[in-house]
Amino acid sequence: GSEMCIRDSTLIMGFIYSQIKKKWKKLAISHHPDNLVSKGLPEEFIQKSTSRLQEINNAWDIIQQNK
């Protein structure tokens, strides 16, 4: 009945949230300036990637607020 639907919905949302969180972590690590500096990448690339990291983190903050 409806209890099964609510439980299934909760499980699905939890799974989706965990997948988004994994992707966020992966993107945050790959765009983190410390990681890029250690790879010896050009400063211009690091600046663009840092800006992208801010966008990624802003999106994550919105997801966290609406969880």
Side-chain angles (χ1 to χ4, degrees), residues 23-48:
K23 185 65 172 179
W24 166 74
K25 281 185 168 185
K26 186 176 181 179
L27 286 169
I29 290 168
S30 68
H31 286 84
H32 197 280
D34 291 344
N35 186 29
L36 302 174
V37 167
S38 71
K39 292 180 179 179
L41 295 170
E43 183 62 31
E44 182 180 324
F45 182 86
I46 294 170
Q47 288 175 355
K48 287 180 183 179

Side-chain angles (χ1 to χ4, degrees), residues 50-64:
T50 299
S51 176
R52 180 73 176 128
L53 177 60
Q54 289 174 333
E55 293 172 0
I56 292 165
N57 284 333
N58 287 341
W60 179 247
D61 288 343
I62 291 168
I63 291 168
Q64 288 290 95

